[in-house]
């Protein structure tokens, strides 16, 4: 069974993902520079996509998979840029 997101909230340093199985996953905003640099209002304009498999911010050009969060992966964009 896939783990899916059903809600999201933020505090000053963390993103909290509410999962359909009742767990809450805390992820440091520092893992995602676009979210860290965004305003609180910008962070609130997200869509839970793929039936809960991901979270998307159109204005921030950010997509995060729940699977990646559970695996401990942060933003891979900087790593790809550094390798290019």
């Amino acid at each position: 069974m896939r783990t899916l997101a059903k809600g999201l909230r933020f505090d000053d340093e963390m993103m909290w993902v509410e999962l359909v199985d009742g767990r809450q996953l805390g992820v440091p905003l520092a893992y995602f520079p676009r979210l860290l640099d965004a305003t609180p209002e910008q962070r609130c304009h997200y869509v839970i996509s793929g039936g809960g498999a991901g979270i998307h911010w159109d204005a921030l050009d950010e997509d995060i998979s729940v699977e990646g969060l559970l695996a401990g992966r942060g933003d891979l964009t900087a790593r790809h840029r550094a390798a290019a």
Side-chain angles (χ1 to χ4, degrees):
M1 186 169 106
R2 288 176 42 188
T3 303
L4 304 172
K6 71 173 187 176
L8 189 65
R9 67 181 173 82
F10 295 91
D11 62 30
D12 290 338
E13 297 178 6
M14 301 285 285
M15 173 174 66
W16 297 93
V17 182
E18 184 180 358
L19 303 175
V20 296
D21 64 10
R23 291 180 291 167
Q24 288 203 22
L25 178 62
V27 182
L29 287 175
Y31 282 22
F32 298 96
R34 281 176 259 186
L35 293 178
L36 181 64
D37 294 339
T39 67
E41 183 178 325
Q42 288 172 315
R43 289 182 197 139
C44 289
H45 290 286
Y46 66 88
V47 174
I48 294 179
S49 57
I55 308 161
H56 174 73
W57 289 261
D58 194 46
L60 300 175
D61 191 28
E62 183 71 88
D63 287 288
I64 298 173
S65 75
V66 173
E67 180 181 314
L69 291 175
L70 291 169
R73 290 191 301 263
D75 184 356
L76 301 176
T77 307
R79 291 185 204 145
H80 291 303
R81 270 192 236 129

